[in-house]
Amino acid sequence: MFTGMPTQPSVSTLDAFWPSLQVLIGDIKPAAKTLSNFYSLISHFGFTPELFSLLTGKINQGSEIYPLRPEFVESLVYMYRATGDQMWRNMGKQVLDAIEISTRTPCGYATVSNVVTHQLEDKMESFFLSETTKYLYLLFSDDHWLFDKGVTGDISVTPDGEGDFMVCSPNSFGYTFTTEAHPFPAGVLGCCFKRQEVEENLLDKIFNTTASNQFDKTIFSDRKRTWEYH
């Protein structure tokens, strides 16, 4: 931390989330390079091991497991949405095929205890259903509502019980994923404020950031009423 020297020259399967952050800040080329490096592990083993040594070029001892993690596919979703390059979907198809062929069991999908032998473990992590399958679905979905850019939306104005009002736009401003792949609508943040004094110009600013004409400005002629919203 203080010297900048490497302490563990290994790559973790959890690190595969990093390209998605690179995409979000516009570093497409570095993200593509990182994803391609992870893909080389998948091409060789079929899955990404938990830890792979950059010094020895081998899997770290005791890190042969692949518990159906989502991070690589997560980054593929961001990369494909940013570039539209079919190559990233092709990589996802390989991941999907490997999971379907090697891990499917009569009762679910099993953890790969060894990516070299593809031996399975009698366990399926919950994040496989909540994250991995979700990102695989989104990777091959062209027009899902989660990809809404948030240029339109309704406005909610409700009393806070203390004489003021809370304002938010639940279905606008797009969606943000939590670390567990739960979509969070950014427009609801205003609903969480304990007190928010709402003036006409604030509502104007919110209204003007959308391309919607759903909001009827005549409904807030008296700021101290219980306002209606569409």
Side-chain angles (χ1 to χ4, degrees), residues 54-195:
L54 300 177
L55 292 180
T56 65
K58 298 179 180 179
I59 301 173
N60 289 27
Q61 186 175 0
S63 298
E64 298 85 0
I65 189 173
Y66 171 67
L68 307 175
R69 292 199 185 278
E71 284 76 15
F72 178 73
V73 183
E74 174 186 5
S75 289
L76 289 180
V77 172
Y78 284 88
M79 181 62 79
Y80 178 75
R81 299 300 302 181
T83 66
D85 192 331
Q86 186 63 32
M87 175 179 69
W88 308 113
R89 276 186 168 177
N90 293 340
M91 290 184 183
K93 178 64 163 53
Q94 185 169 334
V95 173
L96 178 61
D97 288 343
I99 291 174
E100 185 69 17
I101 294 171
S102 298
T103 75
R104 185 171 182 173
T105 71
C107 297
Y109 292 83
T111 290
V112 180
S113 61
N114 191 309
V115 298
V116 177
T117 64
H118 284 201
Q119 180 180 350
L120 301 181
E121 184 177 340
D122 187 18
K123 179 172 65 174
M124 182 178 74
E125 299 285 356
S126 61
F127 57 70
F128 171 68
L129 294 178
S130 66
E131 298 183 65
T132 308
T133 56
K134 184 184 298 179
Y135 283 124
L136 282 168
Y137 175 80
L138 291 174
L139 178 60
F140 298 102
S141 177
D142 290 319
D143 190 28
H144 196 277
W145 54 267
L146 281 173
F147 299 136
D148 179 19
K149 295 181 180 180
V151 295
T152 63
D154 301 327
I155 295 176
S156 171
V157 184
T158 56
D160 68 353
E162 300 178 6
D164 286 317
F165 299 85
M166 294 181 291
V167 176
C168 58
S169 188
N171 56 345
S172 66
F173 303 109
Y175 292 85
T176 299
F177 280 109
T178 68
T179 56
E180 298 301 317
H182 302 307
F184 185 84
V188 305
L189 292 176
C191 301
C192 303
F193 299 149
K194 292 182 179 179
R195 292 173 62 89

Side-chain angles (χ1 to χ4, degrees), residues 12-83:
S12 165
T13 185
L14 293 171
D15 296 336
F17 87 96
W18 180 249
S20 66
L21 293 184
Q22 291 177 299
V23 170
L24 287 175
I25 63 171
D27 286 346
I28 303 298
K29 288 185 178 180
K33 184 176 180 180
T34 307
L35 267 178
S36 296
N37 288 336
F38 275 103
Y39 180 68
S40 66
L41 291 176
I42 293 175
S43 296
H44 185 73
F45 296 110
F47 304 98
T48 50
E50 281 291 272
L51 284 173
F52 185 84
S53 174
L54 300 177
L55 292 180
T56 65
K58 298 179 180 179
I59 301 173
N60 289 27
Q61 186 175 0
S63 298
E64 298 85 0
I65 189 173
Y66 171 67
L68 307 175
R69 292 199 185 278
E71 284 76 15
F72 178 73
V73 183
E74 174 186 5
S75 289
L76 289 180
V77 172
Y78 284 88
M79 181 62 79
Y80 178 75
R81 299 300 302 181
T83 66

